[in-house]
Amino acid sequence: MIILATGNNPIAAYSALISGAFGSPAAIGRTLVNTTPLIFTGLAVAVAFRAGLFNIGGEGQFYIGAVTAAWLGVSLGFLGPVALPVVLAACVVTGFLWGVIPGVLKAYFGAHEVITTIMLNYVAIYLTVYLALNPLSGGGLVPGTGNVAAAARVPVLGFGLGRANLGIVLALVAVVVAYLLLWRTKKGFQLRTVGLSPGAANYAGIPIGRNVVLAIAIGAAFAGLGGGVEVMGVYGKMAVPFVANVGFNGIGVALLGRTHPFGVVFGALVFGALFSGAQEMQFQTDVPLDLSEVLLAVILLFVTATKLVEFILGKRARTLASGTRLERGLG
């Protein structure tokens, strides 16, 4: 209906969009490149959400991982094949430590995580920009850090997929790790219990403060890893300006995936395909590129509205069922 309102043919527009996202190996490669970082930042939101927290700091956590990769990727190239896992591990650690900050502020000082993570986004972004342009500057025509050593680069997939690299495999591994952590470990059970019922968790002896810190920090570790993969797999350096809105889009990805690790993959793929196909849609038709943002907004509106309806109806059903049991008990 929106496309019709602009005087364009919806069939032609959607055909171009699908073709731009999946119509060729190069198109699939672009979609994978767009999808990979969104999986990591989506996990950053989803893991914290399962503990009852709203981590909006994925953007800053992503940047912290990116600048870590840019710094160590240049300086540790002499390690050879060991450089890549070492740098990726460092991205996980720095992302985790950055996530500890809002976690501690929330758990032990009562500062709301939404406020602190939003504020820390700007601290991280401007800090990393300063580092990339000053102590880590590599000169050249494009402002930013030096180029990452070849030994620290994430290998490309090949097969005509362009810049698509093994980062997508790492992202899928991260999804499995997040799932196993949340649903197959004692710590994951504690995190989910804190999110579902802090009172019950406290009664059961589960340390709420420690798990609040861990939930945000673990999510931040995923985002930091995503930033490292983006630098070492796609760009080879941290240029200024760097990739924007990956962390913020991760919020939509997590909501679309119902904050489940496997759902995050689906949400990230939808976002990645729309971003990739929108360019081809604009090229072949008169539909503007910004329509992809409108489509994402409509999708998220339906998803969140569905959750709202389920919540309202579910609450009403529980109330009625509870009243019925009470009446029967009194009778």
Side-chain angles (χ1 to χ4, degrees):
M1 292 174 64
I2 295 173
I3 295 174
L4 281 173
T6 63
N8 291 284
N9 185 342
I11 296 178
Y14 277 105
S15 297
L17 184 130
I18 294 173
S19 175
F22 303 106
S24 67
I28 295 173
R30 287 193 301 269
T31 298
L32 292 179
V33 168
N34 290 330
T35 299
T36 301
L38 293 175
I39 292 177
F40 288 110
T41 55
L43 289 176
V45 178
V47 171
F49 196 88
R50 287 292 170 175
L53 303 165
F54 204 178
N55 176 22
I56 308 184
E59 188 85 357
Q61 296 150 12
F62 184 85
Y63 269 66
I64 289 296
V67 77
T68 300
W71 170 39
L72 297 181
V74 173
S75 57
L76 296 182
F78 67 91
L79 293 177
V82 182
L84 178 58
V86 168
V87 175
L88 289 176
C91 294
V92 171
V93 172
T94 54
F96 182 92
L97 293 176
W98 192 259
V100 166
I101 300 173
V104 169
L105 293 175
K106 168 72 174 181
Y108 301 108
F109 296 94
H112 202 290
E113 74 278 4
V114 171
I115 303 299
T116 56
T117 52
I118 288 177
M119 295 173 67
L120 283 169
N121 276 334
Y122 297 100
V123 174
I125 291 171
Y126 291 120
L127 173 63
T128 55
V129 168
Y130 167 78
L131 293 174
L133 293 179
N134 292 278
L136 301 179
S137 176
L141 297 177
V142 179
T145 66
N147 292 320
V148 172
R153 292 295 301 269
V154 177
V156 297
L157 293 174
F159 307 106
L161 296 175
R163 294 188 296 175
N165 55 76
L166 287 177
I168 185 64
V169 178
L170 291 175
L172 296 177
V173 170
V175 167
V176 175
V177 170
Y179 171 77
L180 293 176
L181 170 67
L182 288 172
W183 276 277
R184 292 293 184 270
T185 66
K186 177 182 177 181
K187 179 55 63 180
F189 175 78
Q190 292 180 350
L191 292 176
R192 290 185 293 113
T193 302
V194 169
L196 291 170
S197 178
N202 185 57
Y203 182 78
I206 296 175
I208 296 178
R210 187 188 310 166
N211 282 287
V212 164
V213 175
L214 277 177
I216 299 180
I218 291 171
F222 284 121
L225 178 59
V229 169
E230 194 74 1
V231 166
M232 297 188 296
V234 180
Y235 295 99
K237 63 183 292 184
M238 185 175 182
V240 178
F242 193 52
V243 186
N245 295 325
V246 174
F248 296 113
N249 286 331
I251 300 171
V253 166
L255 292 176
L256 185 59
R258 299 297 183 92
T259 64
H260 191 286
F262 294 138
V264 165
V265 178
F266 170 76
L269 185 61
V270 171
F271 273 61
L274 282 175
F275 292 151
S276 199
Q279 297 178 351
E280 186 69 18
M281 180 178 64
Q282 180 176 253
F283 179 75
Q284 293 189 17
T285 67
D286 293 328
V287 178
L289 186 67
D290 293 337
L291 181 69
S292 63
E293 302 287 346
V294 176
L295 292 176
L296 287 175
V298 171
I299 291 171
L300 290 176
L301 178 63
F302 277 113
V303 170
T304 54
T306 301
K307 292 295 290 182
L308 179 62
V309 170
E310 289 177 356
F311 174 76
I312 294 173
L313 293 180
K315 184 176 182 180
R316 178 176 174 80
R318 286 192 298 271
T319 302
L320 293 174
S322 176
T324 302
R325 287 194 298 270
L326 180 60
E327 292 171 357
R328 290 178 178 175
L330 289 174

